[in-house]
Amino acid sequence: SVKETKEQYLSILYSRFQELACYVFECLTKYGICAIDKFLGEATGQEILREVLQLRAAGIMRQGQLVQGPSSSSNKYIRGDMITWVDGSEPRAENIQYLISCMDAVVVQCASKLNAYIINERTKAMVACYPGNQTKYVRHVDNPNGDGRCITCIYYLNKNWDVKQHGGLLRIYPEGSDQVANIEPKFDRLLFFWSDRRNPHEVEPAFMERFAITVWYYDAEERAEALRRYKAESDLTSLKKQAVPLKKVMKSD
Ligand SMILES: O=C(O)CCC(=O)Nc1cc2ccccc2cn1
Ligand SMILES: [Mn+2]
């Protein structure tokens, strides 16, 4: 049946990313941040980029963060990042769906070692494009108030990116450390970091189009608590409302 092939497909991905998940677990536990280069390889990365460009050509990307224009100019807004949410089931998004399944395969196996968290849900994938007109992303924490998100997972799609010319550096300021992590948004690079206050971060102004696909993984306990807390208020933002259950796959022994 389709379900069985889906299970087989996922268990193949699990075994493929088992070793990588161990490394990600070690790195996340030690630094709270982990970057993996050449995650899917040139060809697949290229296919994913092609699908992202198609999404943008289809005009379904909406402005994400509105940023105030320079004080001198009229109060025109410079578009921040343009975003759209995909769950991979959209037509002609097979490779984005494959990317999400690979992220899941790594995170779920990582999570089984992170006994502090039980990760059984995630957001859809947020496809973001910075237009490259000096737009940046001001310093922030992804999950400052316990909305349930515990791991931020970002896949970058920028070929031949040169920070000196193109800017767009992601800077993470790990809490309690004077070290800053400078992450270049390189093609086929996968980045993990704790979503909470441990990792305030910002994106420096970008002078070239800058693409990234982000998924946030929920910790079951924190998310359930957040839903209880927000139940009364109807201020559930779209992010909090949408959650995708992660497929349980038998351990590939
Ligand atoms: O592109 C990067 O290197 C990271 C950019 C970034 O932090 N994006 C971002 C985007 C967000 C969109 C909605 C809600 C919270 C959000 C938090 N962070
Ligand atoms: Mn962020």
Side-chain angles (χ1 to χ4, degrees):
S1 77
V2 169
K3 190 169 168 4
E4 276 147 8
T5 40
K6 186 99 175 92
E7 297 267 329
Q8 283 161 355
Y9 164 71
L10 270 178
S11 62
I12 290 167
L13 286 186
Y14 269 48
S15 47
R16 178 171 160 194
F17 292 114
Q18 198 158 7
E19 201 173 319
L20 185 70
C22 287
Y23 171 72
V24 172
F25 165 71
E26 300 292 337
C27 196
L28 258 182
T29 308
K30 199 167 173 193
Y31 305 105
I33 301 169
C34 177
I36 301 292
D37 278 328
K38 296 186 175 35
F39 180 52
L40 298 178
E42 172 77 27
T44 306
Q46 192 55 48
E47 282 304 297
I48 294 168
L49 176 59
R50 187 178 51 75
E51 289 176 0
V52 167
L53 291 170
Q54 267 178 343
L55 284 176
R56 194 188 48 172
I60 63 168
M61 297 186 90
R62 291 281 163 274
Q63 62 196 50
Q65 309 301 327
L66 273 179
V67 287
Q68 188 69 35
S71 50
S72 56
S73 74
S74 66
N75 69 346
K76 81 173 167 47
Y77 281 108
I78 303 177
R79 277 188 184 289
D81 52 339
M82 308 272 287
I83 63 170
T84 186
W85 292 92
V86 298
D87 60 11
S89 65
E90 293 80 1
R92 294 187 311 284
E94 291 84 8
N95 291 278
I96 293 178
Q97 176 164 11
Y98 175 66
L99 166 68
I100 298 170
S101 302
C102 294
M103 287 170 160
D104 286 354
V106 175
V107 169
V108 170
Q109 292 187 94
C110 214
S112 59
K113 299 181 180 71
L114 295 166
N115 41 33
Y117 296 122
I118 298 172
I119 298 179
N120 59 7
E121 280 188 314
R122 62 164 161 75
T123 64
K124 290 184 183 179
M126 183 185 79
V127 179
C129 166
Y130 285 78
N133 52 358
Q134 290 193 37
T135 45
K136 62 180 185 179
Y137 204 114
V138 295
R139 182 170 163 151
H140 66 282
V141 168
D142 283 358
N143 172 16
N145 308 315
D147 67 23
R149 288 177 292 161
C150 62
I151 295 180
T152 301
C153 184
I154 307 178
Y155 182 72
Y156 293 109
L157 287 156
N158 308 295
K159 304 204 90 168
N160 313 317
W161 190 270
D162 172 12
V163 167
K164 284 181 288 305
Q165 289 178 62
H166 308 134
L169 187 68
L170 169 68
R171 307 200 78 195
I172 306 179
Y173 303 84
E175 192 183 36
S177 155
D178 53 0
Q179 305 273 324
V180 180
N182 294 317
I183 315 282
E184 299 187 16
K186 281 182 181 170
F187 179 74
D188 199 20
R189 167 172 276 183
L190 187 66
L191 177 69
F192 300 87
F193 57 86
W194 302 130
S195 310
D196 63 17
R197 292 171 186 268
R198 283 172 283 182
N199 288 315
H201 54 283
E202 65 186 349
V203 176
E204 294 188 331
F207 304 101
M208 176 92 132
E209 280 186 324
R210 180 185 185 280
F211 295 99
I213 298 177
T214 305
V215 170
W216 283 274
Y217 290 88
Y218 287 109
D219 165 58
E221 178 52 36
E222 186 180 312
R223 176 159 166 75
E225 176 52 32
L227 287 175
R228 276 194 293 275
R229 232 185 308 127
Y230 288 110
K231 202 146 191 60
E233 301 146 45
S234 60
D235 78 338
L236 271 181
T237 65
S238 65
L239 201 64
K240 293 184 190 96
K241 273 192 195 114
Q242 62 184 12
V244 176
L246 292 173
K247 300 272 175 302
K248 267 283 148 237
V249 176
M250 53 280 187
K251 287 299 301 164
S252 53
D253 31 284

